[in-house]
Amino acid sequence: MDAKVATIVLVPLLAVVAALLASLVGRVAKIPLVVFEIVLGIVVGPSVLGWVPASGALHAVGQFGLAFLFFMAGNEIDFHAIRGRPLRRASLGWSISLAAGVLIGVLLAPDPIAGVYVGIALCSTALGTLMPMLRDAGELRTPFGLAVTAVGAVGEFGPLLAISLFLSGRRPLSAALVLIAFAVIAAAVVWFAARGGHERFHALVRATLHTSGQFAIRFVVLVVAALVGLSLALGLDMLLGAFAAGVICRVLLSGAKERDARLIETKLEAVAFGVLVPVFFIETGITFDLHTLLTDPHALLLLPILLVLLLVVRGLPGSIAAPAGSTFADRASLTLFSATGLPIIVAVTSIGVADHDLTSGTATALVGAGMLSVLIFPVVALTLRRRSADGGLRPPDPDRVPAEG
């Protein structure tokens, strides 16, 4: 079969098969859907069967899926709900993770620059990957779920800032100025979106919700593309723009009627998790260099070390954000959720290899550790959460700012 035809046919087929497998296996054990997407990608990719080769077109769609993964994370975060104790403690935990990660990275890596890459990768949390799991488990609005959201929000946004400051190729001062310029533009857009008075916009959204116009979805795609493009033009990581686009669209679309807002959210989830995001995870499996990992003794030895370091460097500091009165099982569960990281690890290692600051073996070991964290940690974390002393139920956290309404 022609490689292009194989890619066009097999990638959507794998997305369907992954969903079916997750549903079937879910009757016995709740394994995250992304596990099946990544594993199937590895199986059909060059590392095993070789049916689907890595290609520029597939990579481009996968990158757009990654951007939408971060967009959905920014769009779903309720900053009002996580502010106060959850966000303060999550920020403290991430600061500890960054310092520990860079220190350990410098000790492990052959030079300080490579150590910075390793450190930033180790202090990330895959919030975009975790939020669908939390939602499916009914945990998204519980105090525990809000703690995971706070840890994940800081664990995604913090590394993006670190990438822009230290890995952009600029001096830190000039990088900070560019970052401030981006922040000013994004803040101005958020202010404009939040000031109200967008009746015509919402009327157009409402009028096209059930037509081929689908103005709301087209507008969201434009905002994501515009802010990703702005990030790239300024020399920042594209995921920073995608995350900011999610926050902006949440503010702007919050003015819609509740019924319309729910429908828009459903449509966005369909576009993101039904079409684009699966391509990113499948492509991650396809492009994973399993041969290098298995034939490079250094990379093979480094992989389990990095997996443990994700728990130590990111997981343990993340558990600081556990709600008051949490059981040991809950804190262990939060540790595992906090240590789950893949998208930013992929982004950081891609930059490092392209700039010749990271060897392919180290990059493969980091991505492999991230993949294993996604494969293992959430499954164990959800099991611990369900086996919590009170059955996973929690009274409201007295330190959390109550939601409006």
Side-chain angles (χ1 to χ4, degrees):
M1 186 185 294
D2 181 77
K4 186 181 296 184
V5 175
T7 301
I8 292 173
V9 174
L10 288 179
V11 171
L13 176 61
L14 292 179
V16 172
V17 171
L20 290 174
L21 288 174
S23 178
L24 291 172
V25 177
R27 299 173 183 176
V28 180
K30 292 293 183 182
I31 298 178
L33 175 60
V34 298
V35 170
F36 299 99
E37 292 168 347
I38 293 171
V39 171
L40 289 173
I42 293 174
V43 171
V44 303
S47 294
V48 183
L49 297 177
W51 292 349
V52 180
S55 67
L58 180 61
H59 180 69
V61 178
Q63 287 299 289
F64 203 56
L66 176 59
F68 249 82
L69 183 66
F70 274 73
F71 165 82
M72 291 303 295
N75 185 62
E76 291 191 37
I77 295 173
D78 186 348
F79 286 97
H80 181 81
I82 66 173
R83 71 179 183 179
R85 182 180 187 272
L87 195 56
R88 286 196 307 270
R89 294 207 164 202
S91 300
L92 173 62
W94 184 78
S95 299
I96 296 171
S97 293
L98 179 62
V102 171
L103 177 62
I104 292 174
V106 169
L107 293 175
L108 281 178
D111 59 77
I113 296 177
V116 173
Y117 282 93
V118 173
I120 293 176
L122 288 176
C123 71
S124 65
T125 298
L127 177 63
T129 306
L130 295 179
M131 291 196 80
M133 302 178 195
L134 293 173
R135 182 170 57 249
D136 293 345
E139 290 279 8
L140 204 54
R141 301 301 174 191
T142 65
F144 177 83
L146 292 174
V148 176
T149 301
V151 170
V154 177
E156 282 203 339
F157 193 68
L160 291 179
L161 293 179
I163 291 171
S164 300
L165 284 172
F166 304 115
L167 306 183
S168 63
R170 295 188 178 96
R171 292 184 177 181
L173 179 58
S174 60
L177 293 175
V178 171
L179 193 60
I180 290 171
F182 176 84
V184 169
I185 295 171
V189 177
V190 171
W191 172 82
F192 176 77
R195 63 192 292 264
H198 306 297
E199 289 80 8
R200 290 184 180 180
F201 173 84
H202 291 298
L204 182 57
V205 167
R206 193 175 310 113
T208 60
L209 274 176
H210 301 283
T211 71
S212 59
Q214 295 295 326
F215 178 77
I217 308 305
R218 297 183 185 207
F219 179 80
V220 165
V221 173
L222 173 62
V223 172
V224 175
L227 286 182
V228 165
L230 177 63
S231 298
L232 294 174
L234 293 175
L236 303 173
D237 192 272
M238 73 164 193
L239 301 181
L240 192 62
F243 190 88
V247 176
I248 290 168
C249 288
R250 178 183 177 89
V251 173
L252 183 59
L253 295 174
S254 65
K257 291 185 177 180
E258 184 178 352
R259 180 180 177 183
D260 294 343
R262 284 201 302 268
L263 183 56
I264 293 169
E265 187 69 23
T266 300
K267 290 174 181 286
L268 289 175
E269 289 176 357
V271 172
F273 300 114
V275 181
L276 296 172
V277 174
V279 178
F280 165 69
F281 285 112
I282 292 170
E283 197 243 350
T284 298
I286 290 171
T287 57
F288 183 68
D289 194 350
L290 185 62
H291 176 75
T292 296
L293 180 65
L294 296 179
T295 57
D296 184 343
H298 176 262
L300 198 58
L301 176 64
L302 196 57
L303 188 147
I305 295 173
L306 291 171
L307 184 64
V308 173
L309 286 177
L310 281 172
L311 279 172
V312 175
V313 171
R314 185 69 194 112
L316 292 178
S319 66
I320 295 174
S326 293
T327 64
F328 175 80
D330 286 333
R331 293 184 184 277
S333 179
L334 182 55
T335 297
L336 290 163
F337 275 131
S338 302
T340 303
L342 179 62
I344 288 180
I345 295 176
V346 172
V348 169
T349 53
S350 298
I351 297 171
V353 171
D355 292 343
H356 305 289
D357 292 323
L358 272 183
T359 64
S360 59
T362 301
T364 301
L366 273 167
V367 173
M371 289 171 61
L372 286 177
S373 75
V374 171
L375 299 179
I376 300 170
F377 293 168
V379 177
V380 181
L382 287 172
T383 301
L384 289 172
R385 176 63 179 161
R386 285 193 297 269
R387 293 178 179 177
S388 183
D390 60 1
L393 300 177
R394 285 289 175 278
D397 186 345
D399 296 318
R400 183 171 64 84
V401 177
E404 292 180 345

